Amino acid sequence: MAEERALAGVSEVQKKIRSAFDVFDHEQNQTVDVREIGTIIRSLGRFPTEAELHDVIAEIEEEEPAGFIRFEKFLPTMSRILMENKLRPVPEDLLLQAFEVLDQQKKGHLDPEELSRYLTQEGDPFSQEEMEEMLSAALDPEKNLIFYRDFVSMMTADEPW
Amino acid sequence: MGCGVTKGGEFHKRYDKDGNIISVRISAAITIRAAVLIQRWYRQYVARMELRRRYTWNIFQSIEYAGQQDQIKLYNFLGYLVDNFTPSSNERNLISHIFRENEVCRDIEWERFFDYRHIEVPDIYSGPRLTFPLNADQAADLVEAFRSKQQLHSRYVLQLLGETWKLLRVLPNINRISTCHSKEITICGDLHGQLEDLLLIFYKNGMPSMEKAYVFNGDFVDRGKDSIEILLILFAFLLVYPGEVHLNRGNHEDHIINLRYGFTKEVLGKYKMHGKRILKLLQKIFSWLPLATVIDQKVLIVHGGISDTTDLALVARVDRHKYVSSLRPPKRRISHSVRASVDSDMDEDLVGSKYSILNRRRASLTYARPFPARESFQHRSLQDFSSTVARTMEEELEIRRRQAAMTRPGYSMSCRNLNTSMLSPSSSDSLDAFENVQNEWKQILDLLWSDPMIPDGCVPNEVRGGGCYWGPNVTEEFLNKHSMQLIIRSHECKQDGYEFCHNRKVLTIFSASNYYEVGSNRGAFVRLGPDLVPYFIQYQANSMTREMSVRQSLRRTEHSALKVLREQLFAHKSDLMSAFQQHDKENTGLISLSDWGSAMSQVLHLDLPWRMLRSQLITTTTDDMLDYHNWFRNLAIKEKSYEHIEQTLLDTLYKHRSTLETIFRIVDTDNSGFISFEDFRQTWKLLNAYLKMEISEESINDLVVSIDTNKDGNIDIDEFMESFRLVDKNMLERGKSLFMRRSEEYDGPQDETTNQPPQTPTNKEGGFLAPP
C-alpha cells in the first residue's frame, strides 16, 4: 500500500510539472522558451536564486543551446527538485526580517530610493524594470514610502500553487 | 551614526535611554543576504502572477473562440428552417430575409431604398445636421458630437450611408496606396464599437487629413456599445478624404455575425423607427468594403490573414459584394425558391406603402391562426426532406453539404463536400461554376478569418469555424511570391496591443483596449513611413486602469475570466454530472480532484490548465475528494420560479441562450422587444427538434407560463435573457467575492459607463440578480 501511495505521489508530481509546463508551451510541441524556465520553476512553488536557476538550466539545456528546453529533459530534473524539496521556499518571517535588516532605524518603512539601491546593486540585482514594477506594487503613493510589513503580507498571502 | 549602510561597517547598535534599539549598523554580508532573500521572494511572486495572467488570458480566448462556433450552430439551424418550410409559407419569407443576396442589377431600386428625403428632422434636434458633399469641418463636428454622446438623426444616417455606398462601389477589392503622398500611414486594428479608443487614437495621432492617411483594418462593430458611431465617423472621413482613408472588411462586418454579437441590437435600440432599414443598407455596405490594402506594393494589410492558397490576383478579380456573409456562401442564381426579390422587401419596409406596420405586426414563424401550426409541425422531422419541397440539384447539394457539416462543424465553411456521384454529366458546367464560387468564397474567408500559428503548415481553423491557421513557411512563400515584406493583420486581441510573429514578418495590431475586461490589455496603432519601419503607440482607455497596479489589473481580469468560466460550467451541468458519475461508480457522491480535472477537460473541450484552476474553482474538499453535488449547488442557484422546471430543459436553454436570443430578435419583426407566447413556444420547439432533444410539451408550456410574468401573452426578450445570470450563493452569503482574499486591495467591479462602484447586491456587473 505504501508503495502504491508512493507511486501515486510520483505521478501527482509529474502531472503538476506537466500542467505548469503546458501553460508556457505555446506551440504545443513539448518545448518552452528557456527564458520562461525560471517562471515555471517558481510557479511550482520553488524559490531558486539566480545562481541556482542557472545551474538547473545548464543541466537541462540541449548540448547546442538552442533557446528552448524540452519537456523530456525538464521533467526528471524538476521531479527531483520537488521530491527532494530543493530550492525551498523561504519562511515568511525571514522575509520580514530581511526588510527589517534594511530598515536600520526601525522606522517601519523604507524609502523607495534606499530600497532601490539595495535591490538593484546587491545580491541578485533587479533590472530597472523589475525594480519599477516592485515599487508600483509596494509603494504607498501618498506617503511615497514602502510599508514593508504590509508588502510582505501581500506577497505571502497568495497560497503557493 | 548615520542612516546609510557602509560597506565593511561593523555590527553596531545604538540604544535610547529606555533600552530600545534606535539604529543598527549592520555588516555588508547581512545586507547582501537580506537583499537576495527579498529578490528571491519577489521573483517567485512575479512568476505566480505571470502564470495566473497566462491562464486567465487562455480562459478568455478559449471561450471567445468557442463562442464563435455557436455561429455555425446558428447558421445550420437557420438553414434547417429554410429547408423545412414550404415555399408558400410566411415563415420562409421571414427566414430568407437573412439569406438574401443583393442583386447588382437592381441598383436603381436600391437607391430608392436609401431614400431619406421624406424623413423630417424636428427643430428640437440638436445634433449635427449634415450637408453633402461633406467637408472636413463636418467630419470633425461629428466626432465632437459623438464625444458629447449625441446621436445622429436617422435622416442623416441614411444619407451618409447612401453616399458611402456610392463610393465603395467604385473602389477595388484591394486598395493600393503609397507612402510617397502622405509620408506616414497610420494603421488601426479592431475597434469593436469602443468609441473611447477611437477618440483616444485621434487625440494622440490627429484626425485623418490630406497629410494624415489611415487604414482601418476591420471589426469596427459588435461587442462595444458605440459601433454605429464608429462606423459613421469612419464613413464620414472616407467621404471627405477618399484618397487618404482606407477601410478593410473584417469578419464582423457581416449581418449574421452582428445578430449575435450586439451590433444589430444596438442599431435597433438607437434607431427605433428606421433601424431595420439602416441595417439592410449596412448589409450591403459591408459586402462592398474592400478586402485588403497594400502599401508601396510591399506591405499587405488584411483583417485575418492568409492561407496557403491565397492568391491576390484572384482576390482582385472577384465580385466581392456577392459575398454578403461568411456564414452563407452565395447560392447559384438558378435557385429562386429561397429568395424573395428585392422588390418585395422594399415594399414591406417603405413607410407609407400598402403594407403597413400594423398588418405585419404579427408576422412570425407561426401561421396567422394560433394553433394549427403545431399539428403540422409535428409531422416534420429532420429526416423528412422530400415530402413537400421541390428541389433543384443545387439545393440538394447544399442540403447534403449542410448535413455533412452538422456532424463536422469545423469543416462546414472551409471544405467543399461535393457529392459528385449524384451528378449527371450534363450538370458538369454548373458544377464548375459552383466550384469557382466556392473557391472565391474560401479566398475571402481565409483573408477575414485566419490566424497565424507557430509551426509550419496550413490547417483549417476549427476553433473559429472559418479560415485557416497558417505557419511561417506559408508567410515566407506568400511574401516571396508577391514580392512583399510584411503582413499586417488584426483579428486577435493582444495584451500589449500588438505582437510580431513569423520572424517579424507578420504583425498583429489590435486597437480595442480593455477588450476582455477593464485592465485586460492595451490597444495600439502603428505608423509606417516610407522606410516601412513600424512605429507603435500604445494606450489604454479608462483613466482608472492607469492607476491600478499590475496586480490589481490581474485580479480584476482574473475575476472576470473565472466568472465567465463558471457560466460555462453551469451551462454544461448535465454533461459534467454524467462525467462525474462515471468516475464515481459506487455513487459515493465524491470524486478525486484528478478525476475532476479529467471530467472537465473531457466535457468542456476547452484547452485550459484545469489543475491550476482547481484552487480557484473548488474551495472545499475532504481528504482530497470533492463532493460534486455540493459543488454544483454552490456554483449557482436558480430563479425561484424555475425551480420546478426540468433540469435538462434549463441547462439546454442556458447553453443555447445566445442562439435563442438571436432567433428571438429575428422573430420579433417589428422590433418591439417582445415576442408572443406562441412564437416563443414555436421557436423553442423548432430548436428542440433540431437539436433532437427529448423535452416534453408540458415542460415547454410550464416554462413559457413562468416566463410570461405579467401574463399578457408576450415575453420580454431582454427580461428573459436577464434571467440567465448566475447567482453565486457564497457571494450572497458572505457579501464578498469568492476569489478575492483581501478585498480591501480590490476596487471591486466598476460600472464602466459611470465609473461608480456598483450598488450591491443587485448590480449586474458582479453577477448578482434581483428577482424580476
Side-chain angles (χ1 to χ4, degrees):
Chain A
M1 291 298 113
E3 197 181 286
E4 273 182 21
R5 224 176 295 142
L7 282 176
V10 168
S11 94
E12 266 302 297
V13 162
Q14 295 196 334
K15 281 192 205 167
K16 225 169 154 171
I17 296 172
R18 174 98 244 178
S19 291
F21 192 90
D22 280 348
V23 174
F24 295 90
D25 178 8
H26 304 296
E27 309 176 26
Q28 308 288 316
N29 63 353
Q30 325 305 319
T31 68
V32 299
D33 191 319
V34 65
R35 291 166 294 183
E36 313 245 58
I37 287 291
T39 310
I40 300 176
I41 295 179
R42 289 179 172 120
S43 70
L44 286 164
R46 302 290 107 191
F47 284 69
T49 61
E50 294 296 289
E52 285 166 334
L53 194 55
H54 285 133
D55 289 341
V56 169
I57 291 178
E59 195 182 313
I60 60 180
E61 250 183 338
E62 305 291 302
E63 280 87 48
E64 304 263 330
F68 60 82
I69 302 289
R70 286 184 292 133
F71 182 66
E72 54 190 42
K73 287 206 151 186
F74 182 66
L75 181 63
T77 306
M78 197 64 222
S79 302
R80 209 188 54 233
I81 292 174
L82 288 180
M83 301 292 278
E84 295 172 17
N85 204 12
K86 298 253 193 279
L87 307 181
R88 249 169 304 204
V90 174
E92 296 166 22
D93 45 354
L94 274 193
L95 178 61
L96 184 58
Q97 277 183 41
F99 276 101
E100 285 171 348
V101 156
L102 299 182
D103 175 21
Q104 290 182 64
Q105 290 173 311
K106 306 297 153 216
K107 305 188 295 279
H109 55 80
L110 287 166
D111 287 318
E113 294 78 36
E114 56 182 332
L115 186 62
S116 297
R117 213 173 40 238
Y118 284 129
L119 297 180
T120 56
Q121 290 172 16
E122 311 277 2
D124 286 332
F126 276 168
S127 66
Q128 198 53 36
E129 213 183 305
E130 278 177 303
M131 195 64 238
E132 276 171 17
E133 219 178 76
M134 184 194 205
L135 284 177
S136 81
L139 196 61
D140 178 326
E142 279 168 43
K143 311 229 171 82
N144 203 39
L145 293 170
I146 294 146
F147 292 94
Y148 51 81
R149 193 168 276 272
D150 293 337
F151 184 51
V152 167
S153 305
M154 184 179 94
M155 277 208 286
T156 57
D158 294 326
E159 269 129 65
W161 173 67
Chain B
M1 312 277 202
C3 53
V5 171
T6 57
K7 287 200 188 309
E10 289 183 340
F11 201 94
H12 177 82
K13 288 183 187 164
R14 288 185 66 228
Y15 298 86
D16 68 8
K17 53 178 162 45
D18 297 321
N20 298 317
I21 293 177
I22 51 175
S23 79
V24 178
R25 201 194 294 160
I26 47 181
S27 72
I30 298 183
T31 319
I32 293 173
R33 273 175 47 204
V36 168
L37 221 126
I38 295 172
Q39 287 154 345
R40 271 167 79 189
W41 250 103
Y42 182 70
R43 286 181 169 127
Q44 215 278 346
Y45 167 74
V46 166
R48 274 185 279 134
M49 300 267 281
E50 178 61 21
L51 187 74
R52 283 163 65 192
R53 188 188 71 75
R54 291 285 171 113
Y55 67 64
T56 300
W57 195 255
N58 284 350
I59 293 174
F60 275 127
Q61 284 210 310
S62 306
I63 293 181
E64 178 184 9
Y65 296 162
Q68 296 189 342
Q69 288 182 321
D70 284 351
Q71 280 301 100
I72 301 165
K73 285 191 212 152
L74 179 64
Y75 162 57
N76 287 336
F77 177 57
L78 293 173
Y80 160 75
L81 290 179
V82 172
D83 291 335
N84 285 286
F85 289 89
T86 62
S88 58
S89 62
N90 292 337
E91 302 91 319
R92 193 143 218 193
N93 280 342
L94 182 72
I95 302 302
S96 64
H97 264 287
I98 308 157
F99 293 115
R100 187 169 307 100
E101 288 172 47
N102 300 307
E103 308 267 349
V104 178
C105 54
R106 314 244 191 170
D107 282 351
I108 297 187
E109 290 166 342
W110 273 101
E111 294 200 15
R112 259 209 291 150
F113 200 57
F114 277 105
D115 193 6
Y116 56 89
R117 283 169 299 192
H118 60 280
I119 303 177
E120 285 195 15
V121 182
D123 292 330
I124 202 172
Y125 170 71
S126 58
R129 289 168 189 262
L130 304 178
T131 58
F132 289 80
L134 279 183
N135 60 30
D137 286 337
Q138 292 195 68
D141 286 344
L142 195 61
V143 174
E144 270 321 297
F146 290 153
R147 189 200 302 276
S148 322
K149 312 254 190 276
Q150 290 180 319
Q151 188 173 305
L152 186 66
H153 194 275
S154 48
R155 177 196 173 99
Y156 303 120
V157 173
L158 288 169
Q159 210 177 347
L160 181 62
L161 292 182
E163 294 298 310
T164 306
W165 174 58
K166 284 191 218 159
L167 172 57
L168 288 176
R169 271 163 57 193
V170 302
L171 292 180
N173 296 344
I174 303 180
N175 296 315
R176 288 185 182 272
I177 61 182
S178 168
T179 50
C180 70
H181 292 134
S182 43
K183 302 293 185 298
E184 262 191 344
I185 300 177
T186 304
I187 299 130
C188 299
D190 295 27
L191 288 166
H192 280 300
Q194 298 186 187
L195 182 61
E196 211 176 58
D197 286 311
L198 183 60
L199 296 176
L200 199 51
I201 293 172
F202 284 165
Y203 175 70
K204 284 178 173 284
N205 198 49
M207 289 198 260
S209 69
M210 293 297 286
E211 292 76 42
K212 200 156 290 272
Y214 271 88
V215 179
F216 291 95
N217 200 13
D219 278 11
F220 318 122
V221 303
D222 279 332
R223 297 186 193 280
K225 58 180 180 54
D226 296 312
S227 300
I228 187 70
E229 279 76 27
I230 289 191
L231 274 187
L232 294 171
I233 291 175
L234 295 183
F235 291 158
F237 279 111
L238 176 68
L239 290 172
V240 177
Y241 296 112
E244 282 72 36
V245 173
H246 309 277
L247 306 180
N248 288 342
R249 188 176 185 184
N251 63 310
H252 277 260
E253 275 69 59
D254 181 326
H255 66 285
I256 298 190
I257 305 266
N258 297 149
L259 280 170
R260 187 202 159 92
Y261 286 96
F263 181 49
T264 309
K265 188 170 167 180
E266 180 193 324
V267 172
L268 295 176
K270 288 178 177 170
Y271 292 97
K272 295 206 168 14
M273 181 104 148
H274 299 284
K276 275 185 67 194
R277 190 129 69 101
I278 292 173
L279 287 169
K280 276 301 293 293
L281 300 183
L282 281 171
Q283 192 179 315
K284 196 159 176 60
I285 286 178
F286 286 163
S287 73
W288 274 107
L289 284 169
L291 298 170
T293 299
V294 173
I295 300 182
D296 290 348
Q297 302 179 66
K298 292 241 158 285
V299 178
L300 173 69
I301 308 175
V302 70
H303 176 74
I306 59 172
S307 75
D308 54 356
T309 57
T310 297
D311 177 356
L312 288 185
L314 173 55
V315 170
R317 289 197 306 265
V318 306
D319 285 335
R320 67 181 188 271
H321 63 98
K322 281 185 353 201
Y323 302 93
V324 176
S325 167
S326 314
L327 296 191
R328 188 77 183 179
K331 269 197 150 53
R332 314 253 314 280
R333 300 220 173 270
I334 304 160
S335 56
H336 285 303
S337 41
V338 192
R339 285 179 285 147
S341 76
V342 181
D343 267 336
S344 69
D345 246 354
M346 286 168 41
D347 286 347
E348 281 168 355
D349 288 329
L350 276 178
V351 173
S353 77
K354 55 182 167 154
Y355 300 97
S356 74
I357 305 279
L358 279 171
N359 283 348
R360 285 181 49 249
R361 189 183 171 79
R362 287 286 140 220
S364 68
L365 282 179
T366 61
Y367 295 107
R369 292 160 296 150
F371 290 105
R374 180 172 156 182
E375 284 85 82
S376 48
F377 173 72
Q378 273 175 337
H379 295 308
R380 294 193 179 109
S381 74
L382 198 57
Q383 284 73 41
D384 184 16
F385 287 121
S386 54
S387 51
T388 46
V389 182
R391 282 200 188 83
T392 62
M393 183 72 78
E394 298 79 48
E395 279 181 297
E396 197 64 61
L397 277 174
E398 241 306 50
I399 288 159
R400 286 189 193 264
R401 194 184 60 79
R402 231 185 286 119
Q403 269 184 304
M406 280 180 205
T407 55
R408 285 184 297 159
Y411 283 84
S412 67
M413 294 197 288
S414 47
C415 285
R416 296 177 290 161
N417 293 322
L418 296 177
N419 190 350
T420 52
S421 60
M422 56 180 282
L423 298 177
S424 62
S426 58
S427 62
S428 61
D429 281 342
S430 50
L431 184 60
D432 275 339
F434 187 47
E435 275 194 38
N436 270 342
V437 162
Q438 287 287 73
N439 191 25
E440 289 181 357
W441 181 57
K442 179 186 189 293
Q443 291 277 331
I444 295 181
L445 216 56
D446 288 342
L447 290 177
L448 265 41
W449 286 77
S450 299
D451 289 315
M453 65 175 179
I454 304 207
D456 281 342
C458 188
V459 297
N461 190 331
E462 301 203 18
V463 172
R464 292 202 194 250
C468 301
Y469 285 119
W470 89 92
N473 62 327
V474 177
T475 298
E476 195 66 36
E477 268 173 54
F478 178 86
L479 292 175
N480 286 336
K481 176 172 161 193
H482 294 91
S483 306
M484 292 191 183
Q485 66 190 50
L486 176 64
I487 298 175
I488 300 181
R489 44 90 64 174
S490 303
H491 198 39
E492 282 181 298
C493 183
K494 295 295 175 193
Q495 182 138 46
D496 292 317
Y498 73 93
E499 191 175 278
F500 277 106
C501 67
H502 293 193
N503 226 352
R504 292 183 81 88
K505 301 265 177 65
V506 173
L507 169 64
T508 301
I509 187 88
F510 194 84
S511 301
S513 66
N514 305 322
Y515 180 60
Y516 290 128
E517 170 57 78
V518 174
S520 69
N521 66 292
R522 290 193 277 187
F525 56 90
V526 57
R527 292 210 284 250
L528 285 184
D531 55 2
L532 298 181
V533 171
Y535 176 67
F536 300 96
I537 292 104
Q538 297 160 298
Y539 53 84
Q540 200 154 17
N542 190 334
S543 54
M544 197 180 58
T545 63
R546 290 195 288 274
E547 280 141 34
M548 279 203 292
S549 68
V550 168
R551 180 196 164 82
Q552 284 172 313
S553 272
L554 174 62
R555 277 238 152 133
R556 185 195 200 91
T557 316
E558 195 180 16
H559 175 69
S560 262
L562 289 165
K563 185 172 120 190
V564 165
L565 187 55
R566 274 163 44 238
E567 286 178 3
Q568 285 290 304
L569 299 183
F570 190 64
H572 289 88
K573 183 169 169 180
S574 314
D575 291 336
L576 281 171
M577 276 303 220
S578 314
F580 290 157
Q581 270 149 2
Q582 297 244 328
H583 288 284
D584 178 25
K585 291 275 166 35
E586 282 131 43
N587 246 333
T588 58
L590 301 171
I591 49 167
S592 73
L593 293 177
S594 165
D595 287 338
W596 176 87
S598 313
M600 297 294 271
S601 50
Q602 181 194 329
V603 169
L604 289 170
H605 300 298
L606 287 174
D607 189 19
L608 294 173
W610 291 107
R611 286 181 68 91
M612 269 172 233
L613 293 173
R614 223 153 63 179
S615 60
Q616 301 282 35
L617 294 169
I618 298 176
T619 45
T620 46
T621 56
T622 13
D623 296 328
D624 284 335
M625 298 292 277
L626 172 69
D627 175 348
Y628 53 91
H629 289 104
N630 204 29
W631 180 65
F632 265 121
R633 264 196 296 276
N634 285 337
L635 208 52
I637 56 177
K638 300 185 278 291
E639 271 306 299
K640 285 235 169 37
S641 54
Y642 297 157
E643 257 167 18
H644 59 289
I645 308 291
E646 262 176 62
Q647 186 55 47
T648 13
L649 173 59
L650 275 175
D651 285 353
T652 318
L653 266 179
Y654 189 78
K655 203 189 288 196
H656 296 280
R657 67 200 186 286
S658 303
T659 308
L660 270 178
E661 180 173 0
T662 311
I663 294 167
F664 289 154
R665 296 202 185 277
I666 298 172
V667 170
D668 176 23
T669 48
D670 57 3
N671 306 313
S672 58
F674 290 88
I675 65 171
S676 74
F677 204 89
E678 191 53 29
D679 285 350
F680 176 86
R681 252 172 33 91
Q682 286 301 322
T683 308
W684 177 243
K685 289 190 63 167
L686 285 170
L687 190 58
N688 188 9
Y690 171 70
L691 294 171
K692 297 202 195 117
M693 295 181 301
E694 309 271 322
I695 294 190
S696 67
E697 281 296 316
E698 294 99 276
S699 300
I700 297 179
N701 289 335
D702 285 344
L703 176 68
V704 175
V705 165
S706 58
I707 292 171
D708 180 18
T709 44
N710 60 356
K711 308 282 173 260
D712 68 345
N714 282 314
I715 291 160
D716 182 329
I717 302 176
D718 283 324
E719 204 178 276
F720 178 64
M721 298 317 300
E722 257 310 297
S723 62
F724 286 114
R725 297 289 191 146
L726 281 182
V727 181
D728 186 301
K729 191 166 149 198
N730 288 318
M731 274 201 233
L732 272 185
E733 283 172 357
R734 290 190 272 144
K736 196 157 87 165
S737 160
L738 202 57
F739 306 106
M740 297 299 115
R741 290 183 190 86
R742 282 167 61 92
S743 51
E744 56 268 24
E745 289 205 47
Y746 179 65
D747 292 337
Q750 304 259 343
D751 180 346
E752 283 174 46
T753 50
T754 64
N755 277 346
Q756 296 293 318
Q759 302 94 43
T760 53
T762 58
N763 86 88
K764 291 179 184 181
E765 277 285 300
F768 297 79
L769 177 70

